[in-house]
């Protein structure tokens, strides 16, 4: 059946070239290849389309370059699995560069539920900056905080710091980044308002 074919996307041996990094994108591309093939789209058109796919909004989206020479990306990831995949892709694309992740936890409940998972996921970055938890629809919960998350991340042997607002992070990064550095903002809240401050 078609479902079985899609489940077996790992068996696709086509030489799929992508413009976006990450094993998760390769898996998605293989599944898309099978769907397109099943729909009768010619192989060459499928491979060309996949190669020319430049990604989607807020998924390892290139924002621009800072005056310091650092490059800035933005990603919507807010679950540890997504964050880990994003930072793994970042490391694949920039194997020798210093990666600075600026993460805004989303919801008090999610931060508590996945508390011990965020450290390993974020430890793929060289330096981690944690913003205040984006509450969205939830009331303030004083039993969890960004500062607690910083201490948990430090257990992974990485440098992590809590910042209270975007202006202070922007000022810090403008003074403490250089050519070759990669800054990636991560989160589902309003963290996507930070990159424009960095490249201004």
């Amino acid at each position: 059946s078609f479902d079985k074919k899609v489940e077996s996307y790992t068996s696709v041996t086509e030489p799929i070239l992508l413009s976006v990094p990450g094993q998760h994108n390769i898996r998605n591309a293989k599944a898309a290849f099978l769907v397109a093939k099943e729909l009768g789209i010619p192989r060459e058109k499928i491979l060309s389309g996949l190669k020319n796919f430049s990604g989607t909004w807020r998924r390892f989206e290139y924002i621009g370059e800072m005056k310091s020479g650092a490059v800035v990306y933005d990603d919507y990831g807010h679950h540890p699995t997504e964050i880990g995949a994003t930072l793994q892709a970042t490391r694949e694309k920039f194997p020798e560069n210093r990666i600075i992740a600026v993460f805004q936890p989303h919801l008090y409940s999610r931060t508590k539920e996945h508390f011990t998972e965020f450290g390993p996921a974020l430890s793929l970055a060289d330096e981690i900056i944690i913003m205040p938890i984006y509450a969205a629809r939830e009331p303030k919960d004083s039993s969890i905080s960004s500062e607690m998350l910083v201490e948990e991340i430090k257990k992974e042997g990485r440098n992590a710091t809590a910042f209270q607002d975007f202006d202070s992070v922007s000022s810090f990064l403008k003074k403490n980044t250089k050519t070759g550095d990669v800054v990636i903002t991560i989160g589902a809240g309003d963290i996507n308002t930070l990159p424009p401050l960095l490249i201004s």
Side-chain angles (χ1 to χ4, degrees), residues 4 20 51 79 81 83 87 131 150 175 177-178 189 196-197:
K4 291 289 183 190
V20 290
K51 183 178 180 182
H79 184 280
T81 303
I83 295 165
L87 290 175
M131 300 306 301
V150 162
K175 292 175 186 171
T177 55
K178 61 186 183 308
L197 297 176

Side-chain angles (χ1 to χ4, degrees), residues 44-73:
E44 295 73 24
K45 281 194 174 183
I46 300 170
L47 294 175
S48 174
L50 290 171
K51 183 178 180 182
N52 292 322
F53 176 67
S54 60
T56 61
W57 179 67
R58 298 217 63 214
R59 285 298 185 189
F60 197 68
E61 179 186 6
Y62 175 73
I63 303 300
E65 187 173 313
M66 297 174 61
K67 288 179 182 172
S68 67
V71 293
V72 180
Y73 287 81

Side-chain angles (χ1 to χ4, degrees), residues 94-183:
F94 301 102
E96 304 299 325
N97 302 61
R98 180 173 70 141
I99 297 170
I100 304 164
V102 184
F103 175 55
Q104 181 186 51
H106 190 259
L107 304 179
Y108 296 107
S109 59
R110 182 178 289 124
T111 306
K112 286 170 85 168
E113 182 179 352
H114 300 288
F115 186 72
T116 59
E117 300 168 57
F118 284 115
L122 287 161
S123 71
L124 294 167
D126 298 297
E127 294 188 30
I128 300 110
I129 292 172
I130 304 295
M131 300 306 301
I133 297 168
Y134 187 80
R137 59 190 174 272
E138 294 183 335
K140 172 78 174 169
D141 181 348
S142 299
S143 69
I144 188 71
S145 70
S146 296
E147 289 75 16
M148 291 176 190
L149 192 54
V150 162
E151 293 309 309
E152 185 67 17
I153 293 165
K154 285 181 178 179
K155 292 178 184 177
E156 298 295 323
R158 289 294 192 221
N159 184 29
T161 311
F163 277 78
Q164 294 306 308
D165 58 72
F166 294 149
D167 286 338
S168 59
V169 172
S170 175
S171 177
F172 173 81
L173 290 173
K174 285 178 178 180
K175 292 175 186 171
N176 293 282
T177 55
K178 61 186 183 308
T179 299
D181 289 345
V182 179
V183 176

